[in-house]
Amino acid sequence: MAGTMSQHGHFRVWRIAGLVSLAVLVAVGLWSVWHWQYTQAAREAERHAHNRLTLYSSSLQGALERFAYLPGLLAQQTLIQAALTDETRLLATQANDYLSLVAERSGAEAIFLMDAQGVTIAASNHAEDDSFLGHHYAFRPYFRDAMDNGIGEFFAIGSTTGRAGYFVSAAVDNPAGTGSQGVLALKVSLESLQESWRQAGENVLLTDANGVVILSSRPEWRYRRLGELSEQAMLEIREQRQFMDEPLDPLGERLRDGTLSIGNQGIGERYLTKPLELATLGWTMHYLVPVRPLYASARNALLVAAGGTLALLLLGLWLRERQKRQRLRDRESRIIREANERLEARVEERTRELREAQAELVQAGKLAALGTMAAGIAHELNQPLSGIRTYAANGERLLHRERTQAAEENFRRIQTLCERLGTLIRQLKLFARKGGAREPVELAARLDFVLELLEERIQRQGVTLHVTLPANVPHDTIRVAGDEVRIEQLLTNLLRNALDALRGVETPRLEITLDDEPRRWVITVADNGPGIDEATLERLFDPFYTTKAVGDGLGLGLFISYGIVQDLDGRITAGNREAGGAWFQVELPKAEGGPRHA
Ligand code: ADP
């Protein structure tokens, strides 16, 4: 008992361990699917980002480079150089016109000329309200760089216009070659570029060297900073009034996984950032990939995988259940089969026992019948034989006395007794003739034949005969399987007995009916004789049972008839009619080919 318990316990432990490892396996598998899909989607997004960045950066570079040469070229112009030294300011007016023409042709937002103090003395937008003329730009790096190094570039929100732009500048040399006497600057608007990004519906940023967003496809992200700004840098920006009064708040928050979360209260959108450094001014272009679609795609893959796993699990469970049920069914059917086999074996055994018992009974019955028969035959033979012996002895004595007449009489009696013995032997022979042929025998024809043989007797006894054959059935189809002689014998026995019973009856009647029943023919022979008493009815078919006088009947007729009917698989019954008289009924199966009832 303890052994099976611990075995059961072991089984349980193994089962739980199996389930746990299956769960871990499934979890790890699902996580891998999630991770793989996420990585795959991120890689795809990064590739896309890289392509877009290349495209956008080259268009930006192109836009900037288009103007890069222009300030230097203009600074070489004598009109520009002369305008700086012209006390009368006449040339400045000319320069105004010239610069506005160049600006219009080149697409620059503004081109302006500053003197050595940074004061604008000529500008392409001289005619407009927010003209640069007279404005002081010495604080701008593009001025100072150009004065110091010959060229400068800068991105800033215009202090006059409030519009952001990229400034490129070149020093205007003194014709005498004594150094820079002013700066020619050109402002390029990048608004249209930004607008095209916005329209593409993508998240693109351009940050300067300090990490401040100077261009963005989303206007609300502009002038915010990515990362920290040093105090030094902040101070410089304020000094150069690069972004005017923009507060330069941080744009989102860098999370630990490197993603950038933009928005507030933590429900902001998260982005993967893909940077691309540009040659200009330490600028960096960023492409932002929203993380949510990546997660969504990973989640979808996870869902599909989980669904698949679940389906597999359910399939597995179902298969297991089916197998279990099948095993149960197999066991059940095996048990039933075994039980059946046992039962069959028992039935067979019982049948055999029964058959043996029956065989013994039959044997006993046969012996008994044989005994009765032997006694009957001995009795039947004995009587005529002793008669013959007596008549023969008498005859001899009479011959001695020469009473030949009387002796002849004795010899005649001997002959009669011999004939009787012959009849007995003939009947015994008939009885011995077992199992004759089985061919179709026409019942109606045999009945006719037998009636013809008995015609003389029927006439003599004045018997009224009624024969009823089935209507609607051709007589030659009323057939049974047997042999003619035995069927004639059967009919003769029944009719003879009836005629015997009608002896001495006042208005003797004999009724013969042939009925058509499903599968068999039924012959009824009925008379209006004295009928059969109880005791006789019981022994009617026994051999040598007769109520007739010695020499009238042997008591074999019905016994032989019974045997014949048995041989033909039929049935013979007898009884008394209510109106008086006896009936005998013989049922015989129809021969194949005869009419059959549904
Ligand atoms: P048997 O005719 O030689 O006597 P059976 O076996 O033919 O022998 O008949 C046996 C007995 O059945 C007859 O002795 C008779 O008593 C009785 N029996 C047969 N047929 C009839 C009948 N139609 N009416 C009355 N008794 C009958």
Side-chain angles (χ1 to χ4, degrees), residues 372-444:
T372 318
M373 193 167 168
I377 292 173
H379 175 74
E380 285 298 318
L381 288 180
N382 219 19
Q383 269 185 324
L385 269 182
S386 58
I388 287 171
R389 206 184 305 122
T390 312
Y391 289 135
N394 279 350
E396 190 183 27
R397 234 184 349 257
L398 289 170
L399 276 182
H400 271 300
R401 290 187 214 155
E402 292 185 6
R403 287 177 58 187
T404 37
Q405 204 111 41
E408 268 175 27
E409 178 60 25
N410 272 12
F411 287 133
R412 249 194 313 278
R413 284 194 181 145
I414 289 174
Q415 274 178 17
T416 314
L417 288 172
C418 281
E419 255 167 45
R420 212 181 133 201
L421 284 175
T423 313
L424 173 66
I425 285 165
R426 230 183 2 262
Q427 283 198 338
L428 284 175
K429 257 169 132 184
L430 254 177
F431 173 66
R433 199 176 136 178
K434 261 256 173 192
R438 295 292 289 258
E439 58 211 13
V441 176
E442 291 175 20
L443 264 188

Side-chain angles (χ1 to χ4, degrees), residues 149-217:
N149 306 322
I151 51 168
E153 56 180 348
F154 192 56
F155 182 92
I157 298 178
S159 58
T160 317
T161 58
R163 288 196 300 272
Y166 168 70
F167 296 84
V168 261
S169 59
V172 182
D173 289 340
N174 196 326
T178 53
S180 307
Q181 55 167 351
V183 172
L184 187 108
L186 182 148
K187 181 183 178 187
V188 185
S189 167
L190 296 175
E191 303 302 312
S192 64
L193 203 66
Q194 183 176 259
E195 177 61 17
S196 75
W197 294 352
R198 199 182 62 75
Q199 275 171 1
E202 289 178 289
N203 303 309
V204 193
L205 299 181
L206 184 64
T207 55
D208 69 4
N210 287 322
V212 176
V213 178
I214 53 177
L215 286 181
S216 163
S217 59

Side-chain angles (χ1 to χ4, degrees), residues 493-494 497-498 500-501 527 530-532 536 540 542 545-548 552-559 582 584:
N493 285 347
L494 294 181
N497 277 349
D500 283 350
D527 59 63
I532 314 167
T536 310
L540 207 54
D542 285 358
Y545 179 80
T546 180
T547 58
K548 292 169 193 170
D552 227 7
L554 281 173
L556 280 178
L558 286 180
F559 176 64
F584 282 81

Side-chain angles (χ1 to χ4, degrees), residues 140 155-159 161-164 191 194 208 212-215 218-225 229 233-250:
R140 294 289 209 193
F155 182 92
I157 298 178
S159 58
T161 58
R163 288 196 300 272
E191 303 302 312
Q194 183 176 259
D208 69 4
V212 176
V213 178
I214 53 177
L215 286 181
R218 298 242 209 138
E220 69 270 22
W221 292 349
R222 218 172 169 186
Y223 309 128
R224 315 262 301 264
R225 60 186 159 82
L229 264 179
M234 201 65 184
L235 217 68
E236 244 170 51
I237 288 169
R238 292 285 170 241
E239 226 166 59
Q240 296 160 358
R241 296 163 68 192
Q242 188 177 5
F243 300 109
M244 303 304 283
D245 298 324
E246 292 287 348
L248 304 184
D249 290 331

Side-chain angles (χ1 to χ4, degrees), residues 507-564:
T507 47
R509 273 174 66 93
L510 181 56
E511 286 168 27
I512 305 170
T513 325
L514 217 168
D515 284 314
D516 183 5
E517 278 190 17
R519 293 171 184 280
R520 54 201 183 155
W521 300 110
V522 179
I523 310 157
T524 312
V525 176
D527 59 63
N528 60 346
I532 314 167
D533 61 51
E534 255 336 271
T536 310
L537 259 181
E538 261 173 34
R539 308 191 50 196
L540 207 54
F541 299 104
D542 285 358
F544 302 107
Y545 179 80
T546 180
T547 58
K548 292 169 193 170
V550 175
D552 227 7
L554 281 173
L556 280 178
L558 286 180
F559 176 64
I560 290 171
S561 301
Y562 184 84
I564 293 172

